[in-house]
Amino acid sequence: MIDIKEKYMCDGCHACYSVCPKDAISMEIDDEGFWYPIVDNYRCVDCDKCEKVCPILNKKEVKSLKKAYACYNLDEDIRMKSSSGGTFTILASEIIKDNGVVFGAKFDEDFNVVHDYVEDINGLSKFRGSKYVQSNIGDSFIQAKKFLDEGRRVLFSGTPCQIDGLKSYLNKDYENLVTVDLICHGVPSPMIWQRYINELGDGKKLSAMTFRDKSKGWNSAVLKYRFEDGSEIDENYSESVYIKGFIQNCFLRPSCYNCNFKTLDRVSDFTLGDFWGVESILPKLKDNKGISLVFVHTDKADGIMKDIKKKIYLCEVEIANSITWNSCAIKSVDLLPNRSKFFRYVDKISIKEAVDKSLYKSKLKRISESQLNLIKRIKRKLASIIFKYYYDLKDFTIKKCFRLNIKDMDESIDYLVNNHVSLARFGDGEFKIINSKKIGFQETNKELSERLKEVLTTEDEEIMICIPGMFLKTDDMIGRAKRYWDNYLKQNRMTWYRNLNRKKTYYNAHLTRLYMDYKDKSKVGERFEKLKSIWKNRDIIIVEGEFSKLGVGNDLFKNVNSISRIICPSKNAFNKYDEILETVKKVDKDKLILIALGPTATVLAYDLYLLGYQALDIGHIDIEYEWFLRKATEKVAIENKYVNEVLEGRITESEDDDEYSKEILFKIKD
């Protein structure tokens, strides 16, 4: 599986995220505001597709045509609205006219830079112009493949690492694909960009922005900002604090300082950039309206240039001469010695102050490049060693210093069976919500976070509060689950301990997840029979998500007197919490309430207990029972049921089931 130990070894291209067949990889933002892949070991099946697709781990050897051109769009209006010569618009228009699709970077409504696609020429304007922020690829690779497989022409533009990532993800040549990358200085942090526009506008919302307005000429670019209150700010390019930090490498992605894709031999068809210094090669081109430098790498690109030559000014130049003033095409930027200080500064002071402090010239004698490279290698080696041992040592120390009273699986089941108690469970999902993070089916919610904390620390011993039994041990778990929980606890154990009541007796939350993750499955049947005895000959109310269908298609609840169901939204159920609680309160208190509703179930079970009901948070039990009946050795989709932990299981098709429909007592809509 992909495992980013050193930040410079990841360019954030999203190839690993896109290729994962189990949806086990999410792209999460680090403290500097850059995306990195995070693997959910619980879902990961060790197929290694993520490693095989990584363009940094698997460098490609290609040979380019190495043709270079000075170029500009003959449409004066488009040329002036473009950052350089307007060549991209010509290339993209040709694809659109052929019923094609164009992918590029645009601003979203909050002026984050994201990748998107358009299918009409008018839409190309959103991609026009430079955007000095790393763009979020999102699902663009997946969408592009869909269009390509349908036979449509696709133009995909992005940074060199993004194009390399796309090609790795596709893993084959498409004749209907045209790729365009950039002469890239490096990609700045999206977090710093958002901080900057907020500080510049003093909190006012931005409504329009241009990085390279050419109304004063190509060589005198202006950054233009317009805010929703009608106010405007213009910054000269050379005076902008953001541009100063960008050009001086204050807040670029770590991989940009050792870029693997700065070469004249690229996997893309075209490379576009500003042709700085063009007047030294072609003195007649001095109109100050913008000239594109175009590298043609493939025969496909060469053919396209011939097709559009009537719409552009085109002059071939020696490629070696063209990079004299454009060294970013082949050379990584220098690491700013104070870069780490900049990111420490921005936690306390403004972007302007942080940039000024970071660029302050040191009184120490400047060290040589070879000395700096040696220091880099030493730092990387030390960082690797520290990373390897830090979490192990930290976790060992915490376990020795703190003790928790947690009952094991069988003790927890026996206590639940032998006592008329309610049950509320906590797993890593509930803990993410406590710490203001979202999970797949529940967005962040401050009230839910506070309520979960309340339940977790309650002094009331009449309700069983369950937490992961992995605090006791993980040696009894299968490899994938053991790796996940070992890694998870090393990073989160202390944070859990801070939120737990260490005087309290907790029970094992996996009493409803008792099959798939454990090596020894010999007692699973006996444990399920014990659990089924809890609702034997009782009237039960099942509170569940729309596609959960607990007990449908199996005999989990065949021993009950009656079943009624309250159907709730499958996502963000807590948004309807008051309505859900009031609906459940309409049923008699002698009925057993069984709940499968994510983190909402934890709070609901607790509140119903306080109202005099017996309520059990039993999420996952039905799916575990289905896997047990099938003797499954890995998590698989269950027909007509929502299985969040299996990618194929998140697509459900409802079938008419008269018996199930008759059981529905209430249905709460989104």
Side-chain angles (χ1 to χ4, degrees):
M1 71 181 71
I2 204 84
D3 185 14
I4 308 301
K5 289 186 171 63
E6 296 179 353
K7 296 292 181 72
Y8 75 94
M9 288 294 290
C10 174
D11 53 45
C13 72
H14 282 62
C16 57
Y17 159 85
S18 302
V19 81
C20 180
K22 297 297 182 181
D23 201 23
I25 298 177
S26 59
M27 299 298 291
E28 298 188 11
I29 292 175
D30 72 348
D31 293 341
E32 295 180 351
F34 295 106
W35 293 281
Y36 291 90
I38 302 297
V39 178
D40 183 344
N41 292 323
Y42 210 69
R43 295 179 183 173
C44 178
V45 294
D46 291 329
C47 66
D48 292 330
K49 288 185 177 181
C50 52
E51 289 189 356
K52 293 174 183 176
V53 82
C54 176
I56 288 182
L57 296 179
N58 304 278
K59 296 180 181 179
K60 299 180 182 68
E61 293 290 332
V62 295
K63 290 295 181 183
S64 168
L65 293 180
K66 292 188 176 62
K67 289 186 177 182
Y69 297 89
C71 177
Y72 64 79
N73 196 320
L74 295 178
D75 185 321
E76 196 76 356
D77 182 56
I78 291 177
R79 184 184 179 194
M80 290 305 296
K81 290 177 180 177
S82 303
S83 293
S84 52
T87 305
F88 170 80
T89 301
I90 286 286
L91 296 173
S93 296
E94 292 300 300
I95 300 297
I96 294 287
K97 289 176 183 177
D98 195 20
N99 190 33
V101 185
V102 174
F103 286 77
K106 70 168 190 177
F107 287 122
D108 69 12
E109 60 184 8
D110 295 317
F111 286 84
N112 300 298
V113 179
V114 298
H115 254 69
D116 200 357
Y117 67 87
V118 297
E119 299 175 84
D120 63 274
I121 289 178
N122 292 333
L124 291 176
S125 60
K126 65 182 69 175
F127 298 151
R128 196 176 293 133
S130 299
K131 297 171 183 69
Y132 300 127
V133 190
Q134 182 168 30
S135 67
N136 187 350
I137 285 290
D139 291 327
S140 292
F141 289 177
I142 300 169
Q143 294 166 335
K145 185 178 188 301
K146 177 177 176 293
F147 288 124
L148 290 166
D149 290 338
E150 290 172 354
R152 296 182 67 179
R153 292 189 77 189
V154 171
L155 184 148
F156 200 105
S157 62
T159 59
C161 54
Q162 289 172 338
I163 299 303
D164 214 311
L166 171 68
K167 287 295 194 75
S168 294
Y169 164 72
L170 295 174
N171 198 32
K172 77 171 189 177
D173 291 325
Y174 283 86
E175 185 58 35
N176 50 328
L177 172 65
V178 178
T179 52
V180 178
D181 67 13
L182 314 170
I183 296 177
C184 177
H185 177 86
V187 290
S189 162
M191 176 187 73
I192 297 302
W193 166 241
Q194 285 294 321
R195 276 278 306 276
Y196 185 72
I197 59 176
N198 184 62
E199 291 175 8
L200 185 71
D202 196 23
K204 294 181 293 187
K205 186 171 177 58
L206 197 61
S207 62
M209 192 275 157
T210 305
F211 272 108
R212 296 268 302 282
D213 180 87
K214 295 192 295 189
S215 56
K216 295 182 180 180
W218 180 42
N219 292 308
S220 304
V222 175
L223 288 81
K224 284 186 171 290
Y225 307 82
R226 186 167 66 248
F227 299 89
E228 286 189 344
D229 66 354
S231 61
E232 297 184 358
I233 295 177
D234 288 359
E235 291 184 309
N236 290 331
Y237 192 85
S238 60
E239 296 172 358
S240 167
V241 171
Y242 184 82
I243 295 300
K244 187 188 299 183
F246 166 54
I247 295 299
Q248 295 296 321
N249 312 327
C250 284
F251 39 77
L252 304 184
R253 189 179 181 96
S255 58
C256 295
Y257 302 101
N258 187 30
C259 179
N260 287 262
F261 310 99
K262 296 206 172 198
T263 173
L264 295 179
D265 290 305
R266 302 194 179 196
V267 300
S268 61
D269 296 301
F270 295 95
T271 295
L272 304 182
D274 291 274
F275 201 153
W276 302 121
V278 65
E279 64 278 0
S280 65
I281 302 173
L282 302 170
K284 293 182 180 180
L285 296 182
K286 289 184 177 181
D287 62 4
N288 201 21
K289 294 180 180 179
I291 308 294
S292 297
L293 173 57
V294 182
F295 296 152
V296 171
H297 301 295
T298 64
D299 290 332
K300 183 193 300 183
D302 200 35
I304 293 173
M305 291 299 283
K306 292 175 182 176
D307 291 338
I308 65 173
K309 64 182 180 180
K310 292 183 179 180
K311 300 176 183 180
I312 56 176
Y313 168 87
L314 191 66
C315 182
E316 187 169 1
V317 298
E318 287 293 327
I319 196 165
N321 293 336
S322 73
I323 61 175
T324 302
W325 295 91
N326 300 281
S327 62
C328 279
I330 59 171
K331 183 178 181 297
S332 297
V333 297
D334 293 327
L335 175 66
L336 180 74
N338 287 339
R339 181 185 182 278
S340 60
K341 290 184 179 179
F342 169 83
F343 280 99
R344 291 200 298 272
Y345 291 148
V346 294
D347 286 337
K348 302 173 184 177
I349 57 180
S350 70
I351 300 294
K352 181 182 185 307
E353 292 171 312
V355 168
D356 288 341
K357 285 175 68 71
S358 301
L359 297 181
Y360 179 79
K361 292 183 179 179
S362 172
K363 294 181 180 179
L364 296 174
K365 184 177 179 180
R366 186 178 180 87
I367 62 175
S368 68
E369 185 173 347
S370 61
Q371 290 172 319
L372 182 60
N373 288 334
L374 176 61
I375 292 171
K376 287 181 186 177
R377 290 196 296 272
I378 293 172
K379 286 175 68 177
R380 288 170 185 165
K381 186 66 175 177
L382 288 173
S384 177
I385 294 171
I386 291 169
F387 184 89
K388 179 176 177 58
Y389 293 107
Y390 169 72
Y391 283 122
D392 286 337
L393 179 60
K394 177 183 175 183
D395 197 48
F396 176 80
T397 304
I398 293 171
K399 285 190 287 187
K400 288 295 183 182
C401 294
F402 298 95
R403 298 288 182 182
L404 288 177
N405 183 12
I406 311 174
K407 299 297 184 182
D408 66 22
M409 175 82 75
D410 288 311
E411 289 175 321
S412 299
I413 292 175
D414 289 343
Y415 187 85
L416 179 61
V417 169
N418 297 323
N419 296 274
H420 190 84
V421 293
S422 291
L423 172 74
R425 297 179 311 111
F426 287 81
D428 55 342
E430 285 72 23
F431 201 62
K432 282 184 177 180
I433 298 293
I434 286 176
N435 287 284
S436 300
K437 297 179 180 179
K438 67 178 180 179
I439 57 177
F441 47 88
Q442 178 61 59
E443 63 190 7
T444 56
N445 186 298
K446 186 176 181 180
E447 182 184 355
L448 177 56
S449 175
E450 293 302 317
R451 290 303 317 281
L452 287 170
K453 291 178 186 176
E454 175 190 348
V455 179
L456 186 61
T457 57
T458 179
E459 299 284 351
D460 199 327
E461 294 293 339
E462 296 301 315
I463 180 170
M464 294 174 63
I465 305 300
C466 300
I467 63 175
M470 297 75 198
F471 283 104
L472 287 173
K473 62 178 180 178
T474 59
D475 291 341
D476 57 345
M477 307 191 81
I478 60 174
R480 180 176 63 250
K482 183 180 188 308
R483 287 195 303 273
Y484 172 78
W485 282 104
D486 283 344
N487 185 56
Y488 176 83
L489 290 175
K490 285 176 185 178
Q491 298 184 49
N492 296 282
R493 189 186 299 271
M494 191 66 236
T495 314
W496 270 88
Y497 283 4
R498 291 193 191 104
N499 285 275
L500 293 172
N501 181 347
R502 290 199 287 272
K503 297 179 181 179
K504 182 178 177 60
T505 297
Y506 288 99
Y507 297 86
N508 192 331
H510 270 52
L511 59 85
T512 64
R513 305 193 70 162
L514 64 168
Y515 172 73
M516 182 56 71
D517 288 342
Y518 291 93
K519 295 176 183 175
D520 183 3
K521 295 178 169 43
S522 61
K523 294 183 179 181
V524 174
E526 177 187 343
R527 288 168 177 165
F528 270 120
E529 290 304 313
K530 285 183 178 181
L531 291 171
K532 288 198 279 188
S533 72
I534 297 170
W535 45 80
K536 184 177 181 180
N537 298 326
R538 294 192 66 178
D539 298 311
I540 66 171
I541 304 292
I542 297 176
V543 184
E544 62 182 350
E546 184 178 2
F547 305 111
S548 298
K549 297 185 177 181
L550 268 65
V552 175
N554 60 52
D555 64 350
L556 190 59
F557 301 119
K558 292 298 183 184
N559 61 351
V560 303
N561 278 340
S562 68
I563 299 177
S564 297
R565 298 177 188 268
I566 298 174
I567 307 301
C568 305
S570 58
K571 290 188 176 182
N572 301 315
F574 195 77
N575 294 351
K576 293 285 185 176
Y577 185 75
D578 291 341
E579 185 178 348
I580 294 170
L581 180 59
E582 290 303 314
T583 302
V584 180
K585 285 164 62 176
K586 295 176 183 178
V587 305
D588 296 335
K589 290 186 178 179
D590 60 345
K591 295 187 176 182
L592 175 63
I593 314 296
L594 303 179
I595 315 167
L597 209 56
T600 301
T602 306
V603 177
L604 184 60
Y606 178 71
D607 284 346
L608 290 172
Y609 156 72
L610 294 177
L611 292 169
Y613 292 87
Q614 184 184 12
L616 307 181
D617 168 12
I618 62 165
H620 305 103
I621 193 171
D622 180 75
I623 298 302
E624 288 282 321
Y625 191 56
E626 291 278 10
W627 289 334
F628 163 70
L629 293 176
R630 288 166 169 73
K631 297 182 180 179
T633 56
E634 63 177 26
K635 297 176 182 180
V636 295
I638 305 298
E639 186 178 2
N640 296 321
K641 292 187 180 183
Y642 187 85
V643 186
N644 182 62
E645 294 168 10
V646 181
L647 183 60
E648 299 85 352
R650 301 181 193 179
I651 303 172
T652 60
E653 296 180 1
S654 298
E655 290 186 358
D656 292 334
D657 185 323
D658 291 340
E659 184 177 351
Y660 170 77
S661 298
K662 289 175 183 177
E663 292 171 353
I664 298 175
L665 196 61
F666 301 103
K667 192 164 186 177
I668 298 168
K669 297 181 179 180
D670 289 331

